[in-house]
Amino acid sequence: MNPTKTETKTVVIVGGVAGGASCATRLRRQSEHMRIIMVERGKYVSFANCGLPYYVGGVIEEQDKLLVADAPLFKDRFNVDVRIEEEVVSIDRESKSVKIRRLSDNAIYDEPYDCLVLSTGSKAIKPPLPGIDLPGIYTIKEIPDTNKVKTWIKDKDVRSAVVIGGGFIGLEMVENLRHLGIDVTLIEKQTQLLPVIDREMAHPIKETLEKNKVRVLMGESVERFDQKGDGLTLTTSEGNKIDSDLVILAIGVTPENSLAKAAGLQLGSRGHVVVDSNMRTSDRNIFAIGDVIKTRSTIIDQKVAIPLAGPANRQGRIAADVIASRGRFFRGLQGTSICGFFGLTVATTGVTEKTLQNTSIDYGVVYAHPKHHVDYYPGAQEIFIKLLFDKLDGRILGMQAVGTKGVERRVDVVAMAIQMKSTVFDLEEAELCYAPQYGSAKDPVNIIGMIAANVMRGDLVITPWQDFGKDNAVLLDVRDEHEIKSRPVPNSMHIPLDQLRARLEELPKDRPIQINCGVGSRAYNAYRILNQYGFNCSLMSGGTETWFRLQ
């Protein structure tokens, strides 16, 4: 068989890891005749960067476990020309070539391309604060970063550390430093941890950290670093002085766009490379994938940037198929992610309420606190769930869940439901695995779907927790007496659910009645009773379990 014109293309891929590596291997599977060159300025062409915090903490003991594939494997198995410790320094779009510098001797040479793929990723944010370059301050982005941190911890006998930033990497680093017996302070500039989820869902995170002896400072930022003996002193915006042997900057990432910018490619407002659904940039011969790009949301009419390995991997495959003249396009980003620390799991898929508040979508919100399996089987643990849906048709827009068991399974189910454009009615009817040790006849996914479906059908009216107690409403608490005594809700009228029918005359019909219980189940039964007797009533979303977390 003679090679076709497409098959004899030269493809240069800038950067490896998830996006670049998947693009290279997919290209080779599509064509044995393409010339594929992957240029990586570091030593490691494909490694598991999500595992870096666990390597610092010793959970992953060997560095080699983080290496997904090395240059010899790419050459021997895929016939990909991998050039490690070399850096693409410029792009000449007119001549379709790149200049590459060998880091070993700084020699520069030209390499022509038919197609160029930018998988340059992102870089850790390092703000220009006084003292930011002092010894003992590190970011966690590459394997060499973690080796420096491990060496510093050992050589300096680190006893205390400050982690700046309460996102995924920050929380995972906190856990792993505590695993090493180090005292840790976590500083987060915003007023909640893990800002990718909504505020009320983040409350269990702070509780979990404090139970594990982590000092947490929120709504506070670092203003300067000063040397103090062999360690550091941090000064915060609130005037706090914190002494530390080690500082980890986990503030976030920004796109590594210097090549694209210098080449005149179209960039978004925050510096991300703009691509179409084929992963093409504003130059049709140049593709971009991974953390460096912003692409469409699958849920709302917005461009989004989500720096995760899963999307980068899929984008690499899409770019490879397009280069190989196969008709593929990228559906967009949904935003499914998960984080675990100290036994707590936090997962999300779709969009948050914070995002929806800036759209024109008329959305609904429901909460549930089901157990991850039947209560009678030992070890049942609560999952705190928030579901967002479109009130127009019931389409699922997003879900967040927090708990110690079974969280990832439920979020994965809903993630696929969102991808299939399913509705809350589909969740209500979903047929899922059930045995006592795994779930319930009404799985948590069913339960949250049932609540939302009741809202859609008009069988339930929800009052958001933000509006609880407003509009001259009567607050009706239908919990039992012992619950009221242990956790009273101020200004509430108390009628236990089992007494409600006998005491209807105590309730006014000329004022709205907002009903609450522990998690919402008894309040829903009370709502159905009062609604049928002509009362103007609603259910407080999430019950007191949600409300107390926000006080």
Side-chain angles (χ1 to χ4, degrees):
M1 173 181 172
N2 293 324
T4 67
K5 184 177 181 181
T6 296
E7 289 171 329
T8 55
K9 287 178 180 175
T10 293
V11 181
V12 175
I13 302 171
V14 186
V17 196
S22 68
C23 183
T25 54
R26 177 74 171 179
L27 269 174
R28 179 55 70 222
R29 286 190 289 268
Q30 299 291 20
S31 171
E32 271 295 299
H33 305 287
M34 283 190 187
R35 182 169 176 253
I36 305 171
I37 301 166
M38 187 158 51
V39 184
E40 171 57 54
R41 66 185 175 191
K43 290 183 179 181
Y44 310 101
V45 67
S46 182
F47 65 94
N49 49 8
C50 293
L52 295 178
Y54 303 96
Y55 177 49
V56 171
V59 178
I60 298 171
E61 296 181 357
E62 301 173 22
Q63 176 182 293
D64 287 351
K65 297 290 186 182
L66 296 171
L67 304 179
V68 179
D70 57 15
L73 185 145
F74 273 97
K75 179 62 178 175
D76 297 340
R77 184 170 299 175
F78 298 105
N79 192 25
V80 172
D81 180 2
V82 176
R83 303 175 187 180
I84 59 173
E85 297 187 277
E86 298 194 14
E87 180 180 17
V88 175
V89 294
S90 66
I91 303 167
D92 188 330
R93 292 167 55 187
E94 187 173 344
S95 68
K96 294 175 63 176
S97 67
V98 292
K99 287 190 179 299
I100 302 176
R101 179 173 64 226
R102 286 197 300 265
L103 301 184
S104 59
D105 58 7
N106 284 324
I108 293 178
Y109 64 93
D110 292 324
E111 186 67 60
Y113 66 81
D114 293 297
C115 292
L116 177 67
V117 181
L118 301 180
S119 180
T120 49
S122 58
K123 54 187 175 184
I125 294 173
K126 195 173 181 181
L129 297 174
I132 193 74
D133 293 319
L134 287 171
I137 302 174
Y138 298 97
T139 58
I140 301 293
K141 196 70 176 64
E142 310 278 350
I143 288 178
D145 299 332
T146 57
N147 285 326
K148 290 174 185 176
V149 171
K150 288 170 71 72
T151 299
W152 184 269
I153 290 171
K154 181 179 178 181
D155 291 352
K156 302 296 181 180
D157 189 23
V158 169
R159 303 295 178 88
S160 63
V162 172
V163 176
I164 304 173
F168 291 127
I169 297 298
L171 293 170
E172 291 166 354
M173 281 303 305
V174 165
E175 180 190 37
N176 281 281
L177 292 172
R178 288 293 297 130
H179 181 72
L180 296 174
I182 296 171
D183 293 331
V184 181
T185 297
L186 174 63
I187 301 176
E188 169 55 54
K189 184 177 182 179
Q190 297 193 39
T191 56
Q192 74 163 81
L193 298 170
L194 207 58
V196 297
I197 63 175
D198 290 320
R199 182 168 72 94
E200 69 274 22
M201 303 303 294
H203 189 272
I205 300 174
K206 185 172 185 289
E207 286 184 338
T208 298
L209 293 174
E210 290 176 340
K211 283 179 183 176
N212 286 275
K213 300 181 180 179
V214 177
R215 181 187 180 193
V216 181
L217 301 177
M218 294 191 297
E220 196 164 350
S221 59
V222 175
E223 294 197 335
R224 64 175 299 112
F225 304 89
D226 292 288
Q227 193 84 48
K228 184 178 181 181
D230 290 334
L232 297 157
T233 297
L234 290 73
T235 303
T236 76
S237 56
E238 300 299 309
N240 287 314
K241 301 278 188 180
I242 304 171
D243 293 335
S244 180
D245 301 323
L246 168 70
V247 172
I248 301 294
L249 298 175
I251 300 169
V253 295
T254 186
E256 181 62 89
N257 64 4
S258 55
L259 271 178
K261 187 175 182 179
L265 299 179
Q266 183 182 352
L267 303 179
S269 59
R270 296 191 177 181
H272 295 90
V273 179
V274 176
V275 296
D276 64 14
S277 60
N278 295 135
M279 314 315 299
R280 275 194 170 96
T281 69
S282 52
D283 183 324
R284 65 174 291 101
N285 298 306
I286 302 178
F287 298 74
I289 57 178
D291 294 5
V292 75
I293 71 168
K294 178 178 279 191
T295 187
R296 64 180 294 271
S297 165
T298 60
I299 301 168
I300 57 176
D301 186 21
Q302 289 182 9
K303 294 277 190 177
V304 293
I306 301 176
L308 294 172
N313 184 293
R314 295 194 298 276
Q315 291 159 7
R317 289 169 57 86
I318 296 294
D321 281 2
V322 173
I323 291 169
S325 300
R326 298 173 68 98
R328 292 287 304 280
F329 66 92
F330 184 61
R331 294 181 180 182
L333 293 171
Q334 184 172 311
T336 304
S337 56
I338 190 167
C339 184
F341 46 92
F342 300 121
L344 186 72
T345 301
V346 183
T348 179
T349 187
V351 293
T352 62
E353 186 170 9
K354 288 183 288 190
T355 298
L356 288 170
Q357 286 170 345
N358 295 315
T359 71
S360 61
I361 298 173
D362 183 15
Y363 65 90
V365 181
V366 292
Y367 299 89
H369 300 263
K371 296 296 177 64
H372 87 290
H373 61 52
V374 290
D375 214 0
Y376 65 78
Y377 190 88
Q381 299 294 313
E382 181 183 281
I383 306 176
F384 180 23
I385 301 175
K386 178 177 184 176
L387 185 75
L388 299 128
F389 58 96
D390 192 326
K391 285 185 178 179
L392 180 65
D393 55 10
R395 181 172 61 98
I396 307 160
L397 302 173
M399 186 173 109
Q400 299 159 50
V402 184
T404 57
K405 299 287 184 181
V407 171
E408 65 284 357
R409 172 185 154 194
R410 275 66 188 204
V411 173
D412 278 343
V413 168
V414 175
M416 179 54 70
I418 291 174
Q419 182 170 323
M420 301 308 295
K421 303 189 184 305
S422 300
T423 68
V424 298
F425 306 110
D426 296 312
L427 298 188
E428 182 183 37
E429 295 291 340
E431 187 172 331
L432 304 173
C433 292
Y434 163 53
Q437 68 270 44
Y438 297 111
S440 305
K442 289 194 296 188
D443 189 84
V445 170
N446 298 132
I447 290 172
I448 198 72
M450 289 172 181
I451 297 169
N454 283 335
V455 173
M456 288 295 298
R457 294 188 182 104
D459 293 333
L460 176 61
V461 175
I462 295 283
T463 292
W465 54 261
Q466 301 95 321
D467 297 332
F468 190 54
K470 294 181 180 179
D471 300 326
N472 194 33
V474 173
L475 310 183
L476 175 61
D477 195 327
V478 297
R479 292 178 296 162
D480 293 334
E481 191 68 41
H482 70 279
E483 297 172 275
I484 300 293
K485 288 181 179 179
S486 63
R487 298 183 84 184
V489 175
N491 305 314
S492 288
M493 180 179 183
H494 176 222
I495 302 178
L497 175 61
D498 295 343
Q499 301 175 22
L500 185 58
R501 289 183 182 88
R503 297 173 61 180
L504 293 177
E505 72 280 356
E506 299 178 31
L507 296 168
K509 287 197 172 182
D510 60 348
R511 293 172 61 189
I513 300 172
Q514 297 174 351
I515 313 167
N516 76 82
C517 66
V519 298
S521 177
R522 284 169 292 176
Y524 174 58
N525 284 299
Y527 172 88
R528 295 304 304 157
I529 293 170
L530 296 182
N531 178 263
Q532 293 177 69
Y533 280 102
F535 290 90
N536 175 17
C537 54
S538 64
L539 181 147
M540 187 187 80
S541 187
T544 56
E545 281 298 311
T546 302
W547 187 79
F548 280 121
R549 291 175 179 183
L550 294 158
Q551 305 312 302

